[in-house]
Amino acid sequence: MGLFWCSVMAMAVAPAFAHPKQSPPHHQDEVTYPGSVSIFTVPAAFPTSVFSSYYVKPGPTNQPQPVLYDPVLNITFPFNLTDPKHVPDSNDDPVIYPPPVANLSDATGEAIVSAAVSEISRIFQSNDTGGSNTCSKCIAALAVGQMVAKLAPTHFPTGMVSLCHSLKFSTYSSCELTYGPNGSGASWAQILAYADVAGLDGKYICSYLRKGTCDYPTVQSVKAKFPKPKPKKPAESRRSGKTVKVLHLSDLHLDPRYSVGSEANCTSYMCCRYSEPPANGTVPEISVSAPLFGYYKCDSPFYLALAALQSIGPLTGTSSKHPPAFSLYTGDLIAHDDENQASRAYVEASEVAIWEMFKAYIGGPIYTALGNHDTAPADYEAPHAIDNNSTLGQQFSWNYDHVSSLWAHYNWISPSVAHQAATHYAAYAVSPPHHPNLKVITLNSDMYYQHNPFALLNSSNPDYSGMFSFLIDELQAAEDKGQRVWIVAHIPTGWDGGSAMPNSADYFYQIVERYSPHVIANIFFGHSHEDQFTLYYKNNGTAQTKKDALVTAWFGPSMTPLQNLNSGYRMYEVDTGSWEVMEAYTFYSDVGTYTNLSTSSIEGAKGGEGPVFKLEYSTRAAYGPVVNWPTDAPLNATFWHGVTEAMERNRTLVELFTQYQGKSSAKSKKCETEECAKAKICYMRSGSTALGKQCKSGYGSVQ
């Protein structure tokens, strides 16, 4: 590498399907509907009273632009923040770099970057780095990059963009947006400055930046430490025989920039967005005109969000006088905007808009876990420990302070719980009103998300963020008090293994096993946009049998149709003694019908009709008969494992599950082969990344 660079660097599912395809003996006709109706047609007219005023009023050919006042920040967000015709390509958010280890001039910094880019290019073109494989080259290149991040951090993004082009880094959009100074270049300077590039961090970073450069690391299990051993004979919770209703909403992804009439079937992200007409005055051809209520390749417009919310009361039997005991929201409020189109203000405005809508239609507290899109930039959240909770560790506190204060403002959590959330990455623990025997623990799962680059730091320590220590402390307190617990998070720890960091998922699995089933009653995730579940077993899932099944993780179906899905949500009926799910109803709306809704007389038209939401299925009616499940038994992990065993005998059950997975979307992928069915059953039994990776890949999603 030369003297200069040397001196610088010195700084399975085994059973076969024994039986042919059969018709599953589910009996949806026998369902007792939880609401006053099983099908609800939403009124066509927009419920304007939800917001006090509008920059642009709702109409048959346009989405509304409400005037949003933030009661926490005491500001009114400007119209240009969400104006569909003028989407920004930059923002004024603070750009935070790691502190440099030396005071260098701009000229010197630029020279260091130029030399580093040349050196890294040379590394990838040569074989003198201790090995000819690309992983060893990448690790050597990271050492050079780390030097730049430490010496000249403000110039680091320039080098990243250059290398992104030449080495073909992975990006969501472009090299400039992903790694440039107006994108996430400053965050990458932090990550490289603090990473153990020669160790496990380096392998993860190389795998992230350029897939295939290094093999994705397998799990390196770290034994979790608990305050007390698991009781040999823990007390069993008793059912009260009384049930309450709990809503589960997820992944709304509100798009305030949705443009009615724009291209809904585009070939590049995102669809249903306004585009400037050609300069020559010609009218661009549109294959699918974006409907008023949304489309398969688009995030949720205001019209769809409020249509879904209006359907909840009639379909679930809840109201302002008879609200659910509480509701869960498992993350992702914000649309899938490119990095340069989002901002802190955009996130804050979306949070206010969504919770104002929720407050208008859902009574009782709403307990929220932040998703990977509920930040700016999306996916990025830094652990406090990166610099001992100083400037870098606090760089995302603007959002934690904001959401926790909003939740307290709406009286969903107390000021003391809001303080806990503000200091724990927006994670908190709370007992719902009138139900002190239950504790709901929300987590910020971005801390273990594979696509959060900050999660690659100190990756050998799965609890580097402290999130799992927080969870253990709350679970131990619950065990000591005899409480039941629901864990609420966004990112699943298992399924096909494509979401959670391997070591973190393994650590979480250990925690679940320690406190299940006597403390943890249920786990709730979002993120996939699909209707799924996964199981946790004793002994890290090494024996996947009915007697070893501990607890179920329920994945909330998304409200957004993106991608190729229908819009949906779920409601549980839950025993107030054991906090086990006794019944689960899933509701959906066929997005494919939205193009047929007439917009000519929608706004203000008496008798006009909007989307139809309906009961898709009752879990007990769909799956209970195939396992001969008693009518008074909970839908627990034993039940769900029995369902997977029934699926092994009857592949048609897997096809039914797959239909529900996409919320009965006509565009969802089907599962009609034995290989696919085996893979899906394997995912259902995989509560960790390591277990999910052992399954046949390629069948995890129906999108």
Side-chain angles (χ1 to χ4, degrees):
M1 295 178 59
L3 293 177
F4 170 69
W5 292 109
C6 289
S7 62
V8 169
M9 290 189 62
M11 302 183 354
V13 180
F17 295 95
H19 300 277
K21 292 172 62 174
Q22 311 164 33
S23 296
H26 65 290
H27 302 284
Q28 291 290 15
D29 292 340
E30 301 173 6
V31 176
T32 300
Y33 302 125
S36 57
V37 296
S38 62
I39 300 175
F40 180 75
T41 301
V42 180
F46 189 89
T48 54
S49 61
V50 172
F51 300 106
S52 59
S53 59
Y54 295 82
Y55 292 117
V56 178
K57 292 184 178 181
T61 58
N62 65 271
Q63 290 293 314
Q65 289 294 320
V67 177
L68 299 172
Y69 170 73
D70 192 319
V72 170
L73 301 176
N74 193 26
I75 61 171
T76 298
F77 295 103
F79 172 53
N80 63 8
L81 186 64
T82 55
D83 180 2
K85 292 186 177 181
H86 299 92
V87 178
D89 57 9
S90 62
N91 61 59
D92 297 324
D93 291 347
V95 178
I96 302 174
Y97 290 97
V101 298
N103 248 340
L104 304 179
S105 67
D106 282 345
T108 302
E110 291 171 359
I112 288 176
V113 169
S114 178
V117 169
S118 297
E119 179 64 13
I120 290 172
S121 298
R122 188 195 66 79
I123 288 172
F124 274 95
Q125 294 169 2
S126 67
N127 293 321
D128 62 353
T129 57
S132 59
N133 67 81
T134 55
C135 188
S136 64
K137 292 180 180 181
C138 184
I139 297 297
L142 287 182
V144 178
Q146 185 174 67
M147 178 276 304
V148 177
K150 290 182 175 181
L151 285 178
T154 58
H155 297 278
F156 180 86
T158 302
M160 281 289 283
V161 171
S162 176
L163 291 169
C164 173
H165 283 294
S166 62
L167 299 178
K168 309 299 181 185
F169 287 172
S170 299
T171 69
Y172 286 121
S173 48
S174 70
C175 291
E176 286 73 17
L177 293 184
T178 303
Y179 302 110
N182 292 325
S184 305
S187 295
W188 275 102
Q190 298 176 42
I191 293 160
L192 261 291
Y194 288 91
D196 176 12
V197 296
L200 189 61
D201 294 2
K203 293 179 181 178
Y204 274 117
I205 292 170
C206 286
S207 179
Y208 184 104
L209 291 175
R210 191 181 178 198
K211 291 181 181 179
T213 302
C214 289
D215 291 336
Y216 195 77
T218 56
V219 65
Q220 298 182 11
S221 185
V222 175
K223 188 174 182 180
K225 297 180 180 179
F226 302 108
K228 299 177 182 179
K230 186 173 185 175
K232 292 184 178 179
K233 293 184 178 180
E236 294 185 7
S237 59
R238 295 185 177 180
R239 297 180 197 114
S240 67
K242 299 178 181 179
T243 60
V244 294
K245 296 178 177 181
V246 177
L247 294 177
H248 185 180
L249 311 180
S250 195
D251 295 86
L252 172 61
H253 290 286
L254 177 69
D255 186 2
R257 296 164 174 163
Y258 185 102
S259 181
V260 179
S262 62
E263 179 59 71
N265 192 36
C266 64
T267 56
S268 61
Y269 227 45
M270 290 176 55
C271 299
C272 299
R273 286 294 182 88
Y274 175 82
S275 59
E276 289 286 346
N280 60 13
T282 59
V283 178
E285 291 187 10
I286 292 179
S287 62
V288 177
S289 179
L292 190 65
F293 288 93
Y295 194 67
Y296 290 114
K297 290 188 176 182
C298 314
D299 273 329
S300 304
F302 276 105
Y303 268 93
L304 175 56
L306 283 163
L309 292 171
Q310 289 177 82
S311 75
I312 288 175
L315 289 174
T316 65
T318 59
S319 65
S320 57
K321 290 185 178 180
H322 302 284
F326 57 91
S327 299
L328 307 178
Y329 188 84
T330 46
D332 273 8
L333 304 155
I334 317 303
H336 292 81
D337 289 83
D338 284 338
E339 297 96 320
N340 62 323
Q341 296 175 345
S343 64
R344 291 185 178 184
Y346 184 67
V347 170
E348 292 163 341
S350 296
E351 290 166 347
V352 170
I354 292 169
W355 287 323
E356 285 290 332
M357 291 189 289
F358 283 7
K359 187 72 173 176
Y361 286 97
I362 303 174
I366 301 173
Y367 302 134
T368 299
L370 292 186
N372 57 296
H373 282 275
D374 301 331
T375 182
D379 300 339
Y380 288 71
E381 294 194 66
H384 292 157
I386 187 173
D387 63 348
N388 295 317
N389 208 17
S390 188
T391 302
L392 303 184
Q394 286 291 315
Q395 63 188 296
F396 293 94
S397 62
W398 60 271
N399 198 27
Y400 311 145
D401 293 340
H402 186 243
V403 295
S404 60
S405 297
L406 280 174
W407 298 332
H409 172 79
Y410 292 124
N411 295 315
W412 294 339
I413 59 175
S414 67
S416 61
V417 174
H419 175 72
Q420 182 187 50
T423 54
H424 288 80
Y425 311 103
Y428 60 91
V430 63
S431 289
H434 315 300
H435 300 293
N437 64 332
L438 174 69
K439 177 187 285 189
V440 177
I441 304 175
T442 73
L443 303 177
N444 186 333
S445 54
D446 224 12
M447 295 301 154
Y448 61 73
Y449 184 37
Q450 289 180 13
H451 297 288
N452 172 16
F454 283 107
L456 310 180
L457 287 174
N458 209 341
S459 52
S460 60
N461 176 7
D463 194 29
Y464 184 51
S465 68
M467 182 59 59
F468 292 139
S469 293
F470 162 77
L471 175 60
I472 290 171
D473 289 345
E474 291 295 341
L475 286 168
Q476 186 59 58
E479 182 180 74
D480 292 344
K481 292 178 65 175
Q483 290 176 304
R484 297 287 272 163
V485 165
W486 281 14
I487 298 175
V488 181
H490 181 66
I491 303 295
T493 59
W495 189 249
D496 62 359
S499 296
M501 294 290 290
N503 290 359
S504 298
D506 177 79
Y507 204 83
F508 181 83
Y509 206 115
Q510 293 180 58
I511 296 171
V512 170
E513 183 174 348
R514 161 63 181 85
Y515 292 99
S516 296
H518 63 296
V519 177
I520 302 172
N522 288 287
I523 301 170
F524 302 90
F525 292 128
H527 186 61
S528 72
H529 294 194
E530 300 175 17
D531 182 348
Q532 300 163 329
F533 72 90
T534 196
L535 294 167
Y536 298 82
Y537 298 86
K538 297 176 184 177
N539 301 315
N540 200 27
T542 52
Q544 297 177 347
T545 67
K546 188 178 294 186
K547 67 181 179 65
D548 293 311
L550 292 173
V551 69
T552 305
W554 303 73
F555 294 26
S558 69
M559 299 175 78
T560 183
L562 194 72
Q563 171 135 345
N564 291 328
L565 304 170
N566 283 327
S567 178
Y569 56 87
R570 183 177 294 130
M571 190 270 287
Y572 305 102
E573 290 180 349
V574 188
D575 185 275
T576 58
S578 65
W579 291 98
E580 295 167 306
V581 173
M582 305 304 294
E583 176 62 289
Y585 298 98
T586 303
F587 306 90
Y588 82 107
S589 180
D590 185 352
V591 175
T593 64
Y594 295 178
T595 55
N596 299 324
L597 293 175
S598 172
T599 60
S600 60
S601 59
I602 278 182
E603 187 54 41
K606 293 183 179 179
E609 294 185 349
V612 173
F613 278 80
K614 63 179 71 175
L615 175 67
E616 183 183 24
Y617 73 102
S618 149
T619 302
R620 185 175 291 277
Y623 298 116
V626 303
V627 292
N628 297 316
W629 202 244
T631 57
D632 60 348
L635 306 181
N636 56 15
T638 306
F639 164 80
W640 280 113
H641 181 85
V643 172
T644 65
E645 289 181 332
M647 289 177 175
E648 288 177 327
R649 298 187 296 270
N650 182 356
R651 199 175 76 202
T652 306
L653 277 174
V654 182
E655 295 175 17
L656 178 68
F657 171 86
T658 303
Q659 174 188 329
Y660 293 153
Q661 193 175 344
K663 290 158 283 181
S664 296
S665 170
K667 290 183 174 289
S668 291
K669 298 176 184 176
K670 299 185 183 302
C671 183
E672 298 177 328
T673 66
E674 185 171 308
E675 182 177 85
C676 175
K678 286 182 176 180
K680 294 237 183 199
I681 294 168
C682 187
Y683 303 150
M684 296 170 197
R685 294 173 175 173
S686 298
S688 70
T689 298
L691 290 172
K693 291 289 187 182
Q694 294 175 14
C695 306
K696 179 72 175 179
S697 63
Y699 297 104
S701 175
V702 297
Q703 297 175 50

